[in-house]
Structure formats: structure tokens, C-alpha cells
Amino acid sequence: MSDPHTVPPQSADILAALVAFDTTSAKSNAPIITWIEQYLSAHGVPSTRYPGPEGAVEKWNLHAVIGPDRAGGLAFSGHVDCVPVEGQEWSSDPFILREDGDRLYGRGAADMKGFVACMLAAVPDLKAYAANDPIHLLFTCDEEITCDGARYLMADLRAADRMPDRCIVGEPSLLAPIIAHKGRFAVRVTFQGLPGHSSNPEAGRNALHAMGRAIAFCADEADRLAQDGHRVAGFEPPYTTMQVGVASGGSILNIIPEHASFEVEWRNVPGDDGPTMFQALQDTLRPLEQALKFGNSQGGITYEQLCDLPPLALSREHTLTLEAQSITGRNTAGHVSYGTEAGIYQRAGMESIVCGPGDIAQAHRPDEFVTRDQLARCDRMIRDFARRGIEEHEL
């Protein structure tokens, strides 16, 4: 591995170093965080390491402040974890950056080590731009599985009184500004019944029957959302979707099933709140829960929240939107149905926009790549955002 003290501040060179770390979400990210710490230190930039979610395997977030060490100012944010490569057919080692023409291939090249590399390559210039207002660099863990890294980092920055005002999240968007995305709220619902012989159904409590009625409600609710749900133009589809994707229960046919469970998710448009929809589900299923409990002290329904990724909704007139359009030369303000950490940041009070190099179509695929042209454009974009901060301060 290259010594971070000797890596020249060029985004493609830094990307090669970052791709070499296998930061699959199931593994520790300590090695890449240490490398980034050393790189920043070599450029005279202090950083603070914060622990990720409790129980995670050696997971860390990293926060650096360039310029005045205080809250406010602009942030750039990138996650350093990536999805697995097992079962994918790569043309070369996914953890060795390979160049072919304008393309740079490697796991995470687009999603989203390319943007992280551009953040780091910009550090020497950012030091000159941050004389009056801070520029924050955020490096997060676990985005690919729960986004809890970002959630923990927001709590840590708030406790340290170092919360930035606004943020550019560099998920791959071909450097088109994304101002809105759907949220995702997912729950595992488990039914505890009472076993017995199928010849005497009154002696038991059928968990599968209760689950079937609950799934029927979810299907009806999904239809209602599609027909009468809140609409937000720009999304496809323009309403909140709901689906049951996993279900299990029972053992053999002549035994009343004691256990059953299913997993349900909402992909909610801005304006529809995941926790509120979850509470409505619990309220609706309460009669089923009471039926399972009747004559069965251990019976009932339990809920396990799997994901709470809030939607993003930045105004088209927000300064961050207008700056991003001006800097990128795009007049668009896009909407996407996939989620990002930007929704978590906005919920925490840090207005955010998604804009980064590479194509989201490359994310999670074999032979993932980002182009040199996209990196070069991102290099300019980051510096232009920082330079705008200086011009506004001087005005």
C-alpha cells in the first residue's frame, strides 16, 4: 500500500489507493480511515475519529475541519464502505484500480470512492479557501447496509458543536444536482401463536393465518397509496410504494403454526413519514395481536425496525440548489427513487444536495467504473463550491 505521505494530491492516484482497501460493509473500515487520517495529517489538517454503530465490527466515522474549528460552513460527505464482490464476474481484480481509456475500474470507483478521492485531492486548495468559514470533510461507514454511520456522526457533531450548515453528498449522479429522493422504512413483523394439532384449531392460535391477514392489509394499503396517495412530481412512480418482500412460517401441515414473520418496506415520497405509516400498521394489526394473545400469555406481535432512511426534499430556490446548478452548468434539479445519507443530514438540520461523479447505473455491478473526465469535473466542482464561500464572505 502506498504511503499516504507520498501520494500526490491527484484524484485518480488517490482513488487507486482507496480502491485497494476492501471496505465491504461486513468488514472493519479501520485501515482506510487510518490512511485518510494520515493523508490529512500530512497536509496539516486535523481530524476526529468517531465510533460507528454499537456492535459494529471496528467501524468508524471521520470528521475533519479545514479553517476555523467551529460549526457552520460547508461540508463534503462521502461513505467509504462498498458492497461485496462475491458472485460477480469481474474482468480484473476489483481491488486494484484498472485503467482502460478514460475509464477507471474498481469496486467503489463510482459508489463512492471517486468523490472521496476528489475531496482529498482538493485539500491543499481548500486550506486556502477556508480562511474565514470552515470547510468540513465527512467520511462515513455503513451507508450500504443501514446508513447508521451518518446517523451516529450527526449526533456526534451536534454534541461537539461542529454541525455544518450545508452539505454536498457525492453519490454518483453524473454531476447532476439531485434535490429530492424517496425515503425507505422497513420493518420485520413477527407473530407468536400457539401450537396444536390441525384437527382442533380452537386449541391453538394460528400465526400464519394472522400473518396472512396482515399481508392482505399491506397489499390493500399499497393499492390505496397507488390510487389515492400523496403525489410528488418528479418521482417515478410519484407516490409512496409499499410491499411485503419476505415471509415465512409453519413447519408441517398438520400442526397449527406457532411462529410466522414477514418483512415490509415503504419507499416514501417527501411528505409521507415512515414512522407515521409504521404506527398506522401497528394500530391496524392490534386486533390480530389481541386474538393471538387470547388464552396464550406468550402470544402477540413484535416489530423490529430494519431501516429508517428519511426522504430528501431541498427547495428548488434554495441557495445550495442554485449554486449547484450554476457550478455544474445544469439547469436541472433532479428527483431519484433511491435513498442516500442526504435525507439523514437534512433531518439533522444540515441542508444537503446530492451531486457526485460517476453513473448510479455502475453502482454495485461488476466492472464498476468512473471516468477520468467525471473526476476532473468533480475536482473543479469541489473547488468552485469552496471558492463561492469566499466570494460570499467578501461580499
Side-chain angles (χ1 to χ4, degrees):
M1 183 57 55
S2 300
D3 183 341
H5 293 75
T6 62
V7 172
Q10 300 295 320
S11 54
D13 297 310
I14 297 174
L15 178 59
L18 299 179
V19 165
F21 291 99
D22 180 356
T23 54
T24 304
S25 299
K27 300 180 180 181
S28 170
N29 72 345
I32 195 171
I33 291 295
T34 297
W35 190 93
I36 294 172
E37 286 174 327
Q38 293 173 353
Y39 176 92
L40 293 171
S41 178
H43 289 280
V45 176
S47 59
T48 302
R49 183 188 294 211
Y50 293 104
E54 295 177 11
V57 183
E58 219 34 70
K59 297 292 185 66
W60 302 93
N61 295 315
L62 190 68
H63 173 231
V65 183
I66 301 174
D69 184 13
R70 59 172 175 81
L74 176 68
F76 298 98
S77 177
H79 66 81
V80 296
D81 62 320
C82 60
V83 297
V85 298
E86 285 75 20
Q88 296 185 341
E89 295 185 6
W90 283 73
S91 301
S92 58
D93 188 332
F95 298 109
I96 298 177
L97 194 69
R98 174 172 64 90
E99 183 171 1
D100 185 359
D102 191 43
R103 295 181 176 183
L104 300 171
Y105 292 88
R107 172 52 86 221
D111 184 24
M112 57 181 294
K113 291 180 178 178
F115 184 73
V116 173
C118 291
M119 288 167 60
L120 294 173
V123 165
D125 289 333
L126 297 183
K127 291 173 65 177
Y129 299 149
N132 298 304
D133 290 314
I135 296 175
H136 303 255
L137 304 181
L138 312 180
F139 307 91
T140 61
C141 64
D142 280 0
E143 189 274 347
E144 296 290 2
I145 49 177
T146 64
C147 285
D148 279 347
R151 218 180 308 272
Y152 273 65
L153 182 58
M154 290 296 94
D156 289 328
L157 294 189
R158 189 172 299 283
D161 192 23
R162 293 295 182 274
M163 182 70 76
D165 290 328
R166 59 198 192 282
C167 181
I168 292 88
V169 179
E171 289 283 0
S173 70
L174 290 172
L175 296 172
I178 303 297
I179 63 169
H181 65 62
K182 288 188 177 183
R184 180 174 184 256
F185 198 95
V187 177
R188 180 180 295 119
V189 186
T190 301
F191 300 79
Q192 175 70 48
L194 184 67
H197 196 277
S198 62
S199 64
N200 186 12
E202 294 299 322
R205 299 290 177 268
N206 193 311
L208 262 177
H209 283 186
M211 182 177 75
R213 293 186 176 101
I215 291 176
F217 164 76
C218 292
D220 290 344
E221 178 65 5
D223 290 343
R224 185 195 69 79
L225 289 167
Q227 183 173 344
D228 301 320
H230 173 56
R231 258 51 179 178
V232 178
F235 288 107
E236 183 58 44
Y239 50 83
T240 293
T241 59
M242 180 184 185
Q243 76 141 5
V244 173
V246 177
S248 64
S251 54
I252 60 175
L253 186 57
N254 64 352
I255 295 179
I256 297 170
E258 179 182 12
H259 302 290
S261 70
F262 71 88
E263 295 178 12
V264 59
E265 70 166 10
W266 295 262
R267 299 279 181 163
N268 51 305
V269 295
D272 282 351
D273 180 61
T276 300
M277 294 184 294
F278 175 36
Q279 184 61 56
L281 175 65
Q282 295 177 78
D283 293 342
T284 300
L285 300 189
R286 195 157 287 119
L288 293 177
E289 182 176 22
Q290 294 304 316
L292 290 171
K293 286 181 175 180
F294 183 75
N296 177 22
S297 61
Q298 302 301 312
I301 302 177
T302 58
Y303 302 89
E304 179 187 355
Q305 181 178 306
L306 304 176
C307 178
D308 178 12
L309 183 61
L312 171 70
L314 185 68
S315 167
R316 291 180 180 273
E317 288 74 39
H318 193 280
T319 302
L320 197 54
T321 304
L322 300 178
E323 284 183 354
Q325 291 174 326
S326 174
I327 288 170
T328 63
R330 305 284 192 103
N331 292 323
T332 58
H335 294 55
V336 295
S337 291
Y338 59 83
T340 77
E341 294 168 317
I344 292 173
Y345 294 157
Q346 187 177 57
R347 177 186 279 180
M350 181 171 63
E351 290 290 8
S352 299
I353 195 167
V354 176
C355 193
D359 189 342
I360 191 64
Q362 290 301 315
H364 304 182
R365 298 181 59 179
D367 289 342
E368 175 184 353
F369 71 85
V370 68
T371 66
R372 281 187 174 273
D373 177 68
Q374 282 283 298
L375 292 183
R377 290 172 182 267
C378 185
D379 286 335
R380 292 193 295 272
M381 180 189 78
I382 288 175
R383 288 163 176 80
D384 285 346
F385 266 113
R387 195 177 295 115
R388 284 289 180 97
I390 287 182
E391 292 171 356
E392 289 177 2
H393 189 92
E394 290 176 346
L395 290 175

